[in-house]
């Protein structure tokens, strides 16, 4: 046992304290009574104990017990060595000493407890939770393990890893660990040899021209000689398969490809060989911008639009498609300079694709135009969608048209099979429908499984937010029974005096019972009730639902993409609750704009349009006599968007015979083509997850950055200024393509697609024995050849430190109060009990007493 004072300078207070006590008490001490002497000594001891307590005294007690913590690297690069490590760990635990505790922890990018620290370990569990294996963070594992268990015990960390760290620095971490208590042994793990091939480099020219031969340059690292196949793709379409023979080590390959299309091309290279250990390192992508005339994608329901024949095909590359042919990812969307939706229903597009288009317009300057028709704007189900967000008009008509009274009941499947995305989208769809309704409208929501559940009572919409909140609380569970819920909906609507009464039935399954649906629907038709049905997924009873919608004078929707559910319910609600199509011939009012010169000789008559509401900052070039926008434009982020609420065909009336009709469409295209100032910003990858963006002119005071992935999702980034016109961008990255949109305070912008290679975790590399040896050397550990020596004695002794400050203070207080008590009540010895007198003969005693008294009288 050892006593240590952590703050000994406080002992200097003993000097003035001793001087004071000597001057005030010592000169009286020699001649003082016991009371004074006792009080003086108690006071002296109290002062000494208090001053000693201020010096923070600590008692060190040696500890014989030791703890050994195994750190098992379970990152992806170690996956092929797991079985061998399990065997070694189980064997090593048998060698644990009596005074030793053991624990096993796994790590990769995270840190998990596999076997808690125990003096009697039971071995590895049968099932192990997977680690987040995309990275290796040895530094974090060492620091967390060093502070696990009893931090006073001598501890050995045994690191089982290949040493290929991709996060932080293990050597810096070792410097932060207490080296007097913790040592680190390392067991280098070499993954088993296999037929491993990694595509480490794939480059194409950044820019090219149509017909030019592109040079593909590839580097493949192989562990051994092998035969394989190189697969090349352009914009996700396979273009060639090439047999290759790989030699051990570095293989440099090249290939030529004649560019056959314009715009942004995404090329992908993939290598396939038998027995490959990692598939993650077999693919890389590269981007090439092919110069040419502007690319315009025209989307229409039939895949052919009148707009195509009106545009200047000599100076524009025109591509037609149906909604099903729309590109699904950002790189394919960005191959076009502008997209036109000609009477396209949102129920056929899907919100995922809408989100990608919205990001392409906002962050990358692509143009977008929507053309009216009976499947467009509000009637297309675009309410509250990303497309409505980017357009200069709102789908909602605000108080301009006479609206019919409406009763709507949504019958929504909540059975167990709806769990997950389908249930969430169905709730969102129902909530959107409620948002579209007026306070005077009647609305009800019934959720069903094996019986109906009333979520929103069928009544006037007095509290919209409460109805929405109730809808969003619906949880899945139970079976599927359609008839009783549908009958409940019909029963709630039949007695209501409304101009329009409608039911929307949404389900992904088949009813458990087969009742007489058609009698129910016929009775409902007599009460002016209509029915539309939505079949979700492959298990829905399509034949029944389609038949019900046909009998109920409604519409049937066959949903394969669940993301279209909100658009479907929005479309149904709008069709019932609004008179959106204005089909009375009229002459539009033309305002000063880029189109106004075309009307110098007169304005043709239009037949129809879709009613919308212009947004506050939209520029309206033409509107109806009722004040509804016919032609409106605005800037949306870096891009431009245009809304033409009439149609390209019969809706446009006499415009089809108008001499400037082609000029009208070409002028419209010119208004939405990208026109931002292209800056020469440079983007370089500094390290994994860190990118540097630089304005070479150093004229940018502020650089704004948005990073979008292939699915149109914005990636969260953090920026840090480095120098004038230079910033570092930090983000969590996944392998694949990302797109940077960079702009400054002057409006100059730059867009670029960058390929993020697979993580360093998947590079085929030998164990970093040099790093592992340095870890062991700095911590006083060893490089092990096996785990047999993991439980050898730890060369450092450990001890526990116990502070005695509080006990000293308590003892000083006890002595102090004892001193006060003595001075108050004095020193008194406890009284001894008196002995009882000895009894004797009473007569003899009386005689003696008489003699004594007589003697006393005589003496007087």
């Amino acid at each position: 046992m050892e006593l240590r004072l952590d703050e000994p300078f406080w002992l200097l207070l003993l000097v003035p304290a001793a001087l004071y006590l000597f001057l005030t008490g010592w000169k009286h001490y020699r001649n003082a009574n016991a009371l004074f002497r006792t009080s003086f000594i108690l006071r002296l001891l109290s002062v000494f104990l208090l001053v000693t307590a201020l010096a923070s005294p600590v008692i060190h007690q040696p500890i014989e017990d030791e703890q050994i913590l195994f750190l098992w690297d379970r990152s992806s690069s170690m996956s092929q060595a797991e079985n061998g490590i399990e065997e070694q760990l189980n064997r090593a635990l048998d060698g644990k000493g009596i005074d030793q505790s053991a624990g096993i922890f796994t790590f990769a990018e995270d840190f998990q407890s596999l076997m808690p620290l125990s003096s009697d370990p039971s071995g590895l569990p049968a099932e192990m939770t997977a680690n987040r294996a995309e990275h290796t963070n040895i530094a974090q594992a060492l620091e967390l393990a060093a502070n696990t268990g009893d931090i006073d015990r001598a501890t050995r960390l045994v690191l089982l890893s290949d040493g290929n760290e991709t996060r932080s620095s293990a050597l810096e971490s070792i410097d932060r660990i207490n080296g007097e208590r913790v040592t680190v042994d390392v067991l280098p793990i070499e993954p088993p040899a296999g037929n491993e091939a990694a595509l480490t480099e794939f480059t194409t020219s950044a820019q090219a021209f149509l017909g030019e031969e592109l040079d593909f340059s590839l580097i493949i690292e192989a562990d051994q000689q092998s035969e394989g196949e190189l697969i090349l793709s352009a914009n996700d379409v396979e273009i060639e398969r090439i047999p290759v023979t790989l030699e051990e080590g570095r293989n440099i390959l090249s290939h030529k490809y004649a560019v056959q299309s314009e715009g942004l091309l995404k090329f992908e290279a993939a290598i396939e060989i038998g027995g490959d250990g990692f598939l993650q390192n077999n693919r890389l992508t590269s981007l090439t911008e092919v110069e040419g005339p502007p690319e315009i994608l025209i989307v229409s329901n039939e895949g052919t639009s009148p707009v195509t024949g009106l545009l200047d095909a000599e100076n524009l590359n025109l591509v037609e498609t149906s909604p099903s042919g729309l590109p699904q990812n950002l790189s394919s969307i960005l191959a076009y300079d502008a997209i036109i939706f000609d009477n396209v229903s949102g129920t056929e597009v899907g919100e995922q694709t809408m989100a990608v288009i919205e990001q392409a317009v906002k962050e990358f300057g692509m143009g977008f135009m929507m053309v009216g028709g009976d499947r467009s704007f509000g009637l297309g189900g675009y309410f509250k969608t990303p497309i409505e967000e980017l357009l200069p008009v709102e789908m909602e008509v605000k108080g301009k048209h006479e609206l019919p009274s409406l009763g709507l009941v949504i019958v929504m499947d909540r059975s167990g099979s709806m769990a997950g995305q389908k249930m969430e989208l169905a709730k969102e769809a129902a909530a959107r429908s409620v948002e579209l309704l007026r306070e005077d409208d009647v609305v009800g929501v019934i959720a069903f499984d094996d019986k109906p559940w009333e979520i929103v009572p069928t009544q006037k919409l007095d509290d919209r937010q409460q109805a929405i909140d109730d809808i969003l609380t619906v949880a899945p569970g139970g079976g599927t029974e359609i008839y009783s819920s549908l009958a409940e909906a019909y029963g709630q609507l039949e007695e209501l005096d409304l101009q329009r009464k409608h039911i929307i039935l949404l389900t992904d399954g088949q009813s458990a019972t087969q009742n007489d649906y058609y009698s129910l629907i016929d009775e409902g038709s007599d009460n002016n009730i209509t029915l539309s049905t939505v079949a979700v997924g492959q298990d829905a009873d399509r034949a029944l639902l389609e038949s019900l919608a046909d009998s109920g004078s409604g519409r049937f929707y066959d949903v394969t993409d669940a993301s279209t559910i909100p658009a479907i319910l929005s479309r149904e609600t709008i069709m019932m609750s609004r008179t959106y199509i204005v089909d009375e011939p009229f002459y539009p009012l033309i305002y000063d704009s880029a189109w106004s010169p075309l009307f110098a000789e007169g304005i043709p008559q239009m037949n129809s349009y879709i009613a919308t509401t212009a947004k506050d900052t939209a520029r309206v070039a033409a509107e109806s006599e009722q004040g509804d926008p016919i032609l409106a434009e605005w800037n949306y982020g870096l891009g431009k968007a245009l809304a033409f609420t009439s149609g390209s065909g019969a809706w446009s009336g006499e415009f089809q015979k108008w001499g400037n009709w082609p000029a009208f469409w070409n002028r419209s295209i010119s208004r939405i083509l990208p026109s931002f100032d292209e800056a020469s910003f440079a983007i370089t990858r500094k390290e994994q997850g860190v990118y540097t963006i630089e304005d070479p002119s150093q004229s940018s005071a502020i650089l704004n950055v948005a990073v979008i992935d292939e699915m149109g999702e914005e990636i969260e980034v953090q920026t840090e200024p480095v120098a004038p016109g230079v910033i570092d961008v930090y983000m969590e990255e996944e392998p694949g393509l990302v797109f940077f949109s960079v702009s400054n305070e002057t409006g100059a912008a730059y867009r670029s697609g960058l390929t993020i290679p697979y993580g360093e975790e998947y590079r085929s590399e030998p164990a970093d024995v040099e790093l592992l040896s340095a870890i062991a050397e700095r911590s006083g550990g060893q490089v092990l050849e096996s785990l047999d020596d993991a439980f050898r004695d730890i060369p450092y002794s450990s001890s526990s430190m116990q502070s005695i400050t509080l006990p000293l203070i308590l003892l000083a207080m006890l002595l102090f109060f004892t001193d006060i008590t003595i001075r108050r009540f004095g020193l008194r010895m406890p009284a001894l009990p008196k002995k009882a007198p000895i009894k004797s003969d009473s007569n003899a005693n009386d005689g003696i007493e008489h003699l004594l008294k007589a003697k006393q009288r005589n003496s007087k």
Side-chain angles (χ1 to χ4, degrees):
M1 183 181 296
E2 176 188 351
L3 177 66
R4 187 184 76 187
L5 300 177
D6 288 341
E7 300 181 35
F9 58 85
W10 285 104
L11 294 180
L12 294 174
L13 291 177
L14 290 174
V15 177
L19 184 61
Y20 172 77
L21 291 172
F22 177 79
L23 294 176
T24 59
W26 183 252
K27 61 183 179 179
H28 303 294
Y29 183 82
R30 291 185 178 182
N31 302 321
N33 57 23
L35 173 65
F36 180 85
R37 291 186 178 188
T38 302
S39 176
F40 182 79
I41 292 172
L42 290 175
R43 201 171 307 166
L44 189 66
L45 289 173
S46 298
V47 171
F48 175 77
L49 291 174
L50 285 174
V51 173
T52 305
L54 289 173
S56 300
V58 176
I59 293 178
H60 282 245
Q61 293 180 324
I63 298 177
E64 299 297 330
D65 292 345
E66 300 174 342
Q67 53 190 17
I68 289 83
L69 304 178
F70 294 92
L71 302 181
W72 178 3
D73 181 352
R74 296 191 68 209
S75 60
S76 292
S77 62
M78 292 278 293
S79 60
Q80 298 180 60
E82 286 204 352
N83 291 336
I85 292 175
E86 282 189 58
E87 293 176 5
Q88 288 201 58
L89 284 171
N90 282 319
R91 188 169 61 248
L93 291 174
D94 294 334
K96 186 189 73 64
I98 298 176
D99 59 350
Q100 292 176 323
S101 298
I104 301 176
F105 300 87
T106 63
F107 72 94
E109 187 176 357
D110 56 351
F111 182 82
Q112 297 181 16
S113 173
L114 180 62
M115 188 187 77
L117 188 64
S118 170
S119 59
D120 186 20
S122 57
L124 295 177
E127 295 184 3
M128 293 180 279
T129 305
N131 288 80
R132 288 173 19 217
E134 290 76 17
H135 292 281
T136 303
N137 194 335
I138 298 175
Q140 174 182 265
L142 290 173
E143 292 193 40
L144 291 176
N147 291 283
T148 298
D150 188 344
I151 61 174
D152 293 322
R153 289 191 190 183
T155 301
R156 172 178 293 126
L157 306 182
V158 183
L159 175 64
L160 298 83
S161 174
D162 60 7
N164 293 316
E165 59 180 351
T166 63
R167 284 280 192 272
S168 305
S169 170
L171 293 180
E172 291 180 7
S173 178
I174 287 293
D175 295 336
R176 292 191 288 269
I177 294 175
N178 181 5
E180 295 182 357
R181 182 184 66 87
V182 179
T183 62
V184 182
D185 286 356
V186 298
L187 179 64
I189 303 294
E190 288 285 358
N195 192 19
E196 176 64 27
L199 182 58
T200 60
E201 187 175 313
F202 173 50
T203 58
T204 62
S205 300
Q207 292 184 325
F209 295 94
L210 189 64
E212 178 183 351
E213 275 199 335
L214 280 180
D215 289 321
F216 291 177
S217 176
L218 306 98
I219 297 178
I220 302 173
E221 299 281 353
D223 286 353
Q224 61 187 40
Q225 185 177 10
S226 57
E227 301 290 330
E229 196 170 36
L230 179 65
I231 304 169
L232 300 175
S233 303
N235 284 348
D236 300 319
V237 177
E238 186 178 308
I239 56 177
E240 198 163 359
R241 284 180 173 260
I242 306 169
V244 292
T245 300
L246 301 177
E247 300 295 332
E248 182 180 351
R250 186 182 180 91
N251 297 264
I252 300 176
L253 306 177
S254 62
H255 185 71
K256 291 188 179 295
Y257 172 73
V259 179
Q260 300 173 3
S261 59
E262 298 172 357
L264 186 68
L265 298 183
K266 177 182 74 173
F267 293 105
E268 182 179 75
I271 182 69
E272 289 185 357
I273 63 171
D276 197 351
F278 285 124
L279 300 180
Q280 293 90 340
N281 59 14
N282 289 11
R283 293 178 180 273
L284 286 176
T285 57
S286 182
L287 292 174
T288 298
E289 182 79 38
V290 181
E291 301 290 342
E295 296 275 336
I296 312 298
L297 180 64
I298 303 169
V299 187
S300 61
N301 280 298
E302 303 301 327
T304 56
S305 166
V307 176
T308 307
L310 298 170
L311 292 175
D312 183 3
E314 292 185 4
N315 296 301
L316 300 171
N317 282 337
L318 306 176
V319 179
E320 290 187 295
T321 188
S322 64
S324 61
L326 264 171
Q328 301 296 308
N329 53 52
L330 188 57
S331 61
S332 298
I333 288 288
L334 289 178
Y336 301 99
D337 297 283
I339 294 179
I340 299 174
F341 274 18
D342 184 6
N343 194 21
V344 174
S345 173
T347 63
E348 300 180 48
V349 175
E351 294 220 5
Q352 176 60 51
T353 303
M354 294 187 203
V356 174
I357 292 173
E358 189 262 345
Q359 291 285 9
V361 175
K362 179 181 179 181
E363 301 294 351
F364 300 97
M366 189 187 77
F368 183 82
M369 180 178 182
M370 179 172 280
V371 181
D374 59 357
R375 301 178 181 180
S376 189
F377 292 100
L379 290 179
Y382 289 101
F383 177 70
K384 291 278 188 179
T385 65
I387 293 296
E388 183 187 36
E389 186 76 18
L390 70 87
L391 283 173
V393 297
E394 297 178 9
M395 306 297 112
E396 180 69 292
V397 179
K398 298 182 177 178
K400 299 178 185 176
H401 300 267
E402 181 180 352
L403 303 176
S405 57
L406 171 70
L408 173 67
V409 177
I410 298 172
V411 181
M412 181 173 64
D413 190 346
R414 53 146 282 179
S415 61
S417 59
M418 286 286 290
Q421 183 192 28
K422 288 188 289 186
M423 188 76 255
E424 294 305 312
L425 288 169
K427 292 191 293 185
E428 180 186 341
R432 281 192 196 176
S433 296
V434 171
E435 285 190 71
L436 279 166
L437 298 173
R438 302 160 298 169
E439 291 183 0
D440 289 338
D441 290 332
V442 172
V443 64
V445 178
I446 297 172
F448 68 89
D449 42 29
D450 48 12
K451 63 180 178 180
W453 299 82
E454 186 176 70
I455 306 303
V456 177
T458 303
Q459 59 189 18
K460 285 190 176 182
L461 189 60
D462 295 327
D463 191 340
R464 185 189 312 272
Q465 189 56 50
Q466 183 60 51
I468 291 173
D469 291 343
D470 291 342
I471 290 168
L472 296 179
T473 61
V474 176
T480 305
E481 211 308 282
I482 297 174
Y483 180 83
S484 57
S485 301
L486 194 59
E488 179 72 19
Y490 271 101
Q492 292 180 0
L493 285 174
E494 62 183 1
E495 299 299 329
L496 299 178
D497 185 15
L498 300 168
Q499 291 173 286
R500 296 180 182 176
K501 293 182 281 188
H502 189 57
I503 298 171
I504 304 173
L505 168 64
L506 183 149
T507 180
D508 73 338
Q510 303 191 22
S511 183
T513 59
Q514 297 296 324
N515 298 84
D516 190 358
Y517 287 99
Y518 301 101
S519 296
L520 181 66
I521 293 173
D522 288 342
E523 292 177 12
S525 298
D526 295 338
N527 289 294
N528 197 31
I529 302 174
T530 55
L531 169 67
S532 290
T533 59
V534 183
V536 183
Q538 298 298 319
D539 295 331
D541 192 340
R542 286 175 173 73
L544 172 65
L545 295 175
E546 187 171 7
S547 176
L548 295 180
D550 184 59
S551 299
S553 302
R555 288 152 296 280
F556 167 70
Y557 299 90
D558 188 1
V559 175
T560 55
D561 178 3
S563 69
T564 63
I565 294 174
I568 290 171
L569 264 67
S570 294
R571 170 179 165 83
E572 280 294 302
T573 305
I574 286 174
M575 290 182 70
M576 295 306 301
S577 63
R578 303 290 188 269
T579 304
Y580 266 71
I581 300 177
V582 180
D583 56 0
E584 298 177 357
F586 68 100
Y587 291 93
L589 304 176
I590 305 298
Y591 298 108
D592 186 27
S593 67
W595 292 269
S596 55
L598 301 177
F599 298 93
E601 297 182 1
I603 302 173
Q605 190 180 59
M606 276 187 173
N607 286 344
S608 307
Y609 69 92
I610 294 286
T612 59
T613 302
K615 293 180 181 177
D616 291 339
T617 56
R619 299 179 295 276
V620 177
E623 71 178 16
S624 71
E625 296 167 346
Q626 299 182 33
D628 296 319
I630 301 300
L631 183 63
E633 65 175 341
W634 76 343
N635 294 344
Y636 184 71
L638 293 178
K640 297 177 180 180
L642 184 61
F644 180 54
T645 60
S646 186
S648 59
W651 280 30
S652 58
E654 294 180 359
F655 272 68
Q656 296 178 89
K657 303 175 184 178
W658 182 39
N660 284 331
W661 191 225
F664 172 86
W665 288 98
N666 284 293
R667 184 69 52 88
S668 298
I669 290 298
S670 68
R671 296 295 296 173
I672 62 175
L673 287 176
S675 60
F676 55 85
D677 295 331
E678 183 77 22
S680 57
F681 299 147
I683 304 175
T684 56
R685 190 171 191 254
K686 191 173 183 179
E687 59 183 80
Q688 189 167 350
V690 184
Y691 293 80
T692 298
I693 300 177
E694 181 177 3
D695 177 5
S697 68
Q698 297 186 347
S699 61
S700 298
I702 300 174
L703 290 174
N704 301 307
V705 182
V707 183
I708 317 296
D709 67 16
E710 274 275 65
M711 294 296 103
E713 296 290 333
E714 188 164 350
I715 299 173
E716 184 177 349
V717 299
Q718 293 181 339
T719 60
E720 181 179 307
V722 176
V726 182
I727 62 172
D728 280 347
V729 178
Y730 298 84
M731 67 180 190
E732 290 290 333
E733 59 179 20
E734 296 293 335
L737 280 178
V738 295
F739 296 85
F740 280 74
S741 173
V742 187
S743 60
N744 63 12
E745 71 279 5
T746 67
Y750 175 75
R751 68 178 194 178
S752 177
L754 291 181
T755 298
I756 297 178
Y758 50 81
E760 297 174 10
E761 187 64 38
Y762 299 105
R763 296 188 180 277
S764 179
E765 296 179 352
D768 191 343
V769 178
E770 183 178 347
L771 172 65
L772 295 173
S773 299
I775 291 173
E777 182 180 351
R778 287 197 187 187
S779 66
Q782 295 183 8
V783 178
L784 305 177
E785 294 184 359
S786 71
L787 294 182
D788 295 340
D789 292 334
F791 287 99
R792 71 185 186 282
D793 289 339
I794 298 177
Y796 300 106
S797 61
S798 60
S799 61
S800 65
M801 294 184 296
Q802 175 114 23
S803 172
I804 59 172
T805 297
L806 185 59
L808 291 180
I809 293 174
L810 292 175
L811 181 58
M813 291 177 61
L814 178 62
L815 294 177
F816 176 72
F817 286 113
T818 302
D819 175 26
I820 293 175
T821 303
I822 289 174
R823 286 190 284 112
R824 173 68 180 83
F825 298 105
L827 277 173
R828 292 197 181 125
M829 296 298 291
L832 297 174
K834 295 181 179 181
K835 293 183 178 180
I838 301 174
K839 292 184 178 182
S840 58
D841 184 78
S842 60
N843 294 328
N845 289 340
D846 291 342
I848 294 171
E849 288 179 4
H850 287 301
L851 289 174
L852 290 175
K853 290 179 179 179
K855 186 177 181 180
Q856 289 175 355
R857 283 195 299 269
N858 293 331
S859 63
K860 292 180 180 179

